[in-house]
C-alpha cells in the first residue's frame, strides 16, 4: 500500500485518490474555431512520461484537486501542491 | 541439424541423444540496411515479421528487441484467447486472431498449445442476463461463436463456482464462447520467432533503440545500441512503452501506461477446465496444465512503468476469486507479477501511420494484447508492406480520434481494459 500526501489532509491511503489527468495541458480557446485535430490532441493525446511526471489528482474524501509530482518508474512522490487559487 | 518437429524426428533425435536439434533462431549482428525494421520482439513484433516474410515476400526484415524475446507483456499475461467483443469491427479483428490461432501450431510447426476450452463471462442478475443476450447476438452477428448459458449449464461446465443462492453475486447464467481458451504464451513468441527466422528475418536481441533517424520529416531508420540501421519502413510494436518511442519519433499518442497484475497459485488437482470471468468482481481465472490457477483482474489505478503491482488491486482481484469460488480461499499463491500495458481512450488498439512519415504503430491493446497477436501481426504486416490498411485494421487507425469515430469496447462489451 502506498500513501499519497493530500495537501489538505496529509498522507492518506492510495485508494482514496483518483488520477484526473496530466498537468500543464493547454486547453484550446473554444471561443475560436478549433480544428478537429487540435481538439482531439487536447482531449486524447498525452505525454505519458516514463520517469518524472506532473499530474492532476483528486483526493475523494475532501475533494481536493492538486498537482502531484512523482516518478512513474520508482513510484516515489516528490511533492504535491494544491491547485486552489485562493491559497496563493 | 534437425529443424522440423515431427514424430519421426523426435524418435531419431531420441536415439541420438538429442544432439542434433538446431537452435530455434540465429543471433545475427544487425546489417546496415533493411526494407522493414520492427521495434519490439514480443508476440506482435515477431508475428509481424513472420507475416511480412510469408504473406508479402519481403526479404530484408529485422526485429529489434531491447531485452529478450517475449520478455515483456507476451511473457506476463494470463494466456486467454477470445473474441467476445461487442462492435462488429472488434469482433472481425479479434475473431481473425482466434482463426489464425486455430491453425497456428500446424502452420509454424511449433506447438503453441492453444486449448479451446471455452470462456464464460458470468451474469449475476436478470438485468445482466438481458445484456448478456444482447452481447451474444452482437457476437454472432459479427461472425464469432457465442451461446447464452443458463445457470444449470454453467454449473455443469464449472462446478467449482459459487452457486449459493445467498451469494453476494449469485450466478444467473453466462456468455459462453466455446472457441475461446488459453495458449502457451512463451511458445507463441518462440514459435513466431523460429518461423520468421526460417524465412530469413534477422532477430536482434539485447539491442535497444535510442532514436529515430529522421531526415526532412521522414524516418530513414533507427539508432540503436548496436549502431545505426537504415530502414525503408519502421514498425513500432512496443506495448507499455509506446509513448517513450513516440517521444523519440516526434509523434503523439493517446496512451496511458498502467500496470496489470496476474497471479499463479500452487498446483492443485483439476478443478476448472474452462476460463471464467465475473464482470462484477472484475476477476477471472483458469487452470493451467500444470495445475496452477492462473488469475487476473483489472488494472492498477496509478499510471505506472514500474512492472510491479500494488496491494490494493491484489486485494480486489483475490477477493473477487474467493467470491467466485469460495473453495479456493485457502489455495496458496505461488507468484505474482505485473506487465505495463497501453491503455487507449476507447479500449481499442491503434494500428496505422504514426504521424511521422515512415513510422507505423501497432499499440494500445490494453490488457488484451496476447489474444490479438496473430491478427495484430497479420494486419500490421499488411500495413508495413503496402503502406495502406487491410479492411479489418482500417477502423483502428489513429485518425478515429479527431474524427470522433471511437470504438468504445469498455462500454460496448463491458470488458475493462
Amino acid at each position: 500500500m502506498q500513501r499519497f500526501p493530500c495537501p489538505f489532509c496529509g498522507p492518506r491511503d492510495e485508494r482514496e485518490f483518483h488520477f484526473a489527468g496530466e498537468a500543464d495541458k493547454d486547453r484550446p480557446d473554444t471561443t475560436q474555431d478549433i480544428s478537429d485535430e487540435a481538439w482531439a490532441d487536447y482531449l486524447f493525446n498525452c505525454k505519458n512520461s516514463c520517469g518524472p511526471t506532473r499530474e492532476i489528482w483528486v483526493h475523494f474524501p475532501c475533494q481536493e484537486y492538486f498537482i502531484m509530482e512523482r516518478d512513474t518508474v520508482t513510484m516515489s512522490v516528490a511533492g504535491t501542491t494544491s491547485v486552489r487559487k485562493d491559497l496563493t | 541439424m534437425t529443424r522440423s518437429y515431427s514424430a519421426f524426428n523426435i524418435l531419431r533425435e531420441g536415439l541420438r541423444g538429442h544432439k542434433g536439434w538446431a537452435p530455434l533462431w540465429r543471433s545475427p549482428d544487425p546489417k546496415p540496411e533493411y526494407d522493414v525494421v520492427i521495434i519490439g520482439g514480443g508476440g506482435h513484433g515477431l508475428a509481424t515479421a513472420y507475416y511480412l516474410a510469408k504473406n508479402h515476400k519481403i526479404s530484408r526484415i529485422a526485429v529489434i528487441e531491447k531485452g529478450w524475446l517475449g520478455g515483456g507483456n507476451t511473457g506476463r499475461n494470463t494466456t486467454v484467447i477470445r473474441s467476445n467483443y461487442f462492435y462488429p469491427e472488434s469482433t472481425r479483428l479479434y475473431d481473425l486472431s482466434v482463426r489464425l490461432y486455430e491453425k497456428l501450431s500446424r502452420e509454424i510447426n511449433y506447438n503453441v498449445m492453444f486449448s479451446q476450452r471455452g470462456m464464460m463471462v458470468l451474469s449475476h442478475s436478470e438485468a445482466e442476463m438481458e445484456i448478456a443476450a444482447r452481447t451474444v447476438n452482437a457476437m454472432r452477428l459479427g461472425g464469432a461463436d457465442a451461446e447464452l448459458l443458463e445457470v444449470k449449464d454453467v454449473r455443469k461446465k464449472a462446478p467449482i463456482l459459487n452457486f449459493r443462492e445467498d451469494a453476494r453475486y449469485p450466478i444467473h447464467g453466462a456468455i459462453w464462447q466455446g472457441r475461446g481458451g488459453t495458449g502457451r504464451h512463451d511458445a507463441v513468441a518462440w514459435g513466431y520467432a523460429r518461423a520468421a527466422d526460417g524465412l530469413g528475418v534477422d532477430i536482434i536481441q539485447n539491442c535497444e533503440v535510442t532514436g529515430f533517424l529522421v531526415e526532412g520529416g521522414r524516418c530513414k531508420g533507427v539508432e540503436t545500441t548496436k549502431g545505426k540501421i537504415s530502414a525503408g519502413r519502421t514498425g513500432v510494436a512496443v506495448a507499455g512503452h509506446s509513448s517513450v518511442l513516440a517521444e523519440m519519433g516526434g509523434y503523439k499518442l493517446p496512451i496511458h501506461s498502467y500496470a496489470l497484475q496476474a497471479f499463479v497459485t500452487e498446483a492443485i488437482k483439476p478443478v476448472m477446465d474452462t476460463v471464467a470471468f465475473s464482470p462484477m468482481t472484475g476477476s477471472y481465472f483458469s487452470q493451467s496444465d500444470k495445475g496452477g490457477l492462473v488469475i487476473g483482474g483489472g488494472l492498477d489505478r496509478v499510471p505506472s512503468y514500474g512492472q510491479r503491482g500494488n496491494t490494493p488491486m491484489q486485494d480486489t482481484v483475490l477477493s473477487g476469486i474467493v467470491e467466485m469460488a469460495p473453495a479456493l480461499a485457502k489455495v496458496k499463491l505461488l507468484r505474482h507479477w505485473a506487465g505495463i500495458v497501453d491503455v487507449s481512450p476507447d479500449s481499442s488498439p491503434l494500428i496505422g501511420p504514426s504521424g511521422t512519415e515512415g513510422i507505423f504503430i501497432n499499440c494500445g491493446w490494453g490488457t488484451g494484447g496476447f489474444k490479438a497477436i496473430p491478427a495484430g501481426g497479420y494486419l500490421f504486416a499488411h500495413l508495413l508492406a503496402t503502406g495502406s490498411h487491410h479492411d479489418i485494421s482500417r477502423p483502428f487507425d489513429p485518425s478515429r480520434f479527431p474524427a470522433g469515430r471511437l470504438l468504445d469496447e469498455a462500454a460496448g462489451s463491458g470488458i475493462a481494459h
Side-chain angles (χ1 to χ4, degrees), chain A residues 1 14 41 46 48 70 72-73, chain B residues 243 255 257 303 305 310-311:
Chain A
M1 187 75 64
E14 66 176 277
D41 181 41
C46 46
N48 191 27
R70 62 181 190 99
T72 55
V73 179
Chain B
S243 304
I255 299 274
S257 293
Y305 282 90
N310 62 5
T311 46

Side-chain angles (χ1 to χ4, degrees), chain B residues 112-124:
Chain B
V112 300
M113 296 167 73
F114 180 27
S115 157
Q116 292 180 292
R117 57 185 68 186
M119 152 104 191
M120 59 171 72
V121 180
L122 300 170
S123 297
H124 298 292

Side-chain angles (χ1 to χ4, degrees), chain B residues 12-27:
Chain B
R12 194 178 64 158
E13 283 303 323
L15 295 172
R16 298 197 302 198
H18 293 291
K19 291 192 175 122
W21 293 114
L24 298 196
W25 52 81
R26 301 160 293 130
S27 295

Side-chain angles (χ1 to χ4, degrees), chain B residues 106-384:
Chain B
R106 188 172 293 264
E107 181 179 333
I108 61 177
N109 180 229
Y110 198 89
N111 189 1
V112 300
M113 296 167 73
F114 180 27
S115 157
Q116 292 180 292
R117 57 185 68 186
M119 152 104 191
M120 59 171 72
V121 180
L122 300 170
S123 297
H124 298 292
S125 67
E126 284 312 302
E128 275 183 55
M129 280 302 279
E130 288 180 19
I131 293 295
R134 172 176 174 264
T135 305
V136 165
N137 289 336
M139 284 169 65
R140 284 194 181 168
L141 287 171
D145 64 307
E147 259 178 77
L148 192 62
L149 299 187
E150 293 177 32
V151 64
K152 67 173 168 36
D153 308 321
V154 177
R155 191 190 287 266
K156 198 180 281 177
K157 287 186 194 300
I160 188 84
L161 297 177
N162 187 356
F163 293 97
R164 289 173 60 116
E165 280 180 14
D166 62 349
R168 175 66 187 83
Y169 300 112
I171 293 171
H172 285 239
I175 302 164
W176 173 253
Q177 184 176 30
R179 285 163 62 240
T182 59
R184 171 90 173 95
H185 50 358
D186 292 328
V188 173
W190 299 338
Y192 270 123
R194 171 174 171 271
D197 180 86
L199 294 170
V201 171
D202 282 356
I203 297 169
I204 300 149
Q205 300 183 73
N206 299 311
C207 177
E208 186 172 352
V209 169
T210 53
F212 290 91
L213 304 166
V214 179
E215 288 170 32
R218 192 182 197 295
C219 175
K220 299 273 175 75
V222 291
E223 281 183 65
T224 75
T225 48
K226 293 189 177 179
K228 288 184 183 180
I229 304 173
S230 300
R233 288 191 171 120
T234 305
V236 185
V238 294
H241 284 69
S242 300
S243 304
V244 177
L245 273 287
E247 196 181 350
M248 283 183 204
Y251 54 92
K252 289 180 175 174
L253 289 176
I255 299 274
H256 282 293
S257 293
Y258 283 92
L260 177 68
Q261 302 191 60
F263 311 80
V264 166
T265 69
E266 60 188 330
I268 54 173
K269 292 204 170 172
V271 293
M272 181 70 176
D273 61 0
T274 178
V275 185
F277 168 57
S278 162
M280 286 311 285
T281 67
S283 305
Y284 64 90
F285 72 105
S286 62
Q287 190 168 19
S288 78
D289 295 339
K290 283 189 286 190
L293 298 167
V294 184
I295 296 168
L299 297 164
D300 283 9
R301 294 175 58 255
V302 183
S304 165
Y305 282 90
Q307 285 198 328
R308 62 188 173 277
N310 62 5
T311 46
M313 192 44 76
Q314 293 164 17
D315 266 4
T316 306
V317 174
L318 298 171
S319 344
I321 293 299
V322 172
E323 169 61 35
M324 285 171 79
L328 300 176
K330 291 194 173 167
V331 178
K332 293 181 183 70
L333 283 185
L334 206 57
R335 57 185 186 272
H336 93 280
W337 64 91
I340 301 304
V341 300
D342 283 354
V343 177
S344 70
D346 58 355
S347 300
S348 286
L350 284 83
I351 306 171
S354 67
T356 298
E357 210 187 324
I359 305 177
F360 296 81
I361 51 168
N362 169 1
C363 64
W365 294 94
T367 64
F370 173 72
K371 69 170 156 330
I373 283 173
Y378 187 95
L379 299 168
F380 199 36
H382 186 279
L383 180 69
L384 284 165

Side-chain angles (χ1 to χ4, degrees), chain A residues 14-72:
Chain A
E14 66 176 277
R15 284 178 289 200
E16 296 178 7
F17 294 85
H18 179 71
F19 169 62
E22 282 181 4
D24 310 319
K25 266 190 169 187
D26 288 326
R27 191 175 195 274
D29 179 359
T30 44
T31 63
Q32 306 296 315
D33 256 354
I34 332 159
S35 69
D36 292 346
E37 284 70 24
W39 186 237
D41 181 41
Y42 170 71
L43 280 185
F44 300 117
N45 287 340
C46 46
K47 284 195 219 128
N48 191 27
S49 308
C50 181
T53 183
R54 274 168 58 82
E55 296 164 335
I56 305 165
W57 284 72
V58 56
H59 184 219
F60 278 140
C62 73
Q63 285 296 304
E64 179 83 1
Y65 277 78
F66 60 94
I67 304 282
M68 178 147 67
E69 292 185 53
R70 62 181 190 99
D71 189 301
T72 55

Side-chain angles (χ1 to χ4, degrees), chain B residues 89-107:
Chain B
E89 293 89 342
S90 310
T91 307
R92 272 202 294 277
L93 172 70
Y94 293 107
D95 210 58
L96 168 67
S97 211
V98 174
R99 291 199 306 276
L100 290 168
Y101 262 128
E102 282 172 338
K103 58 181 187 183
L104 187 61
S105 292
R106 188 172 293 264
E107 181 179 333

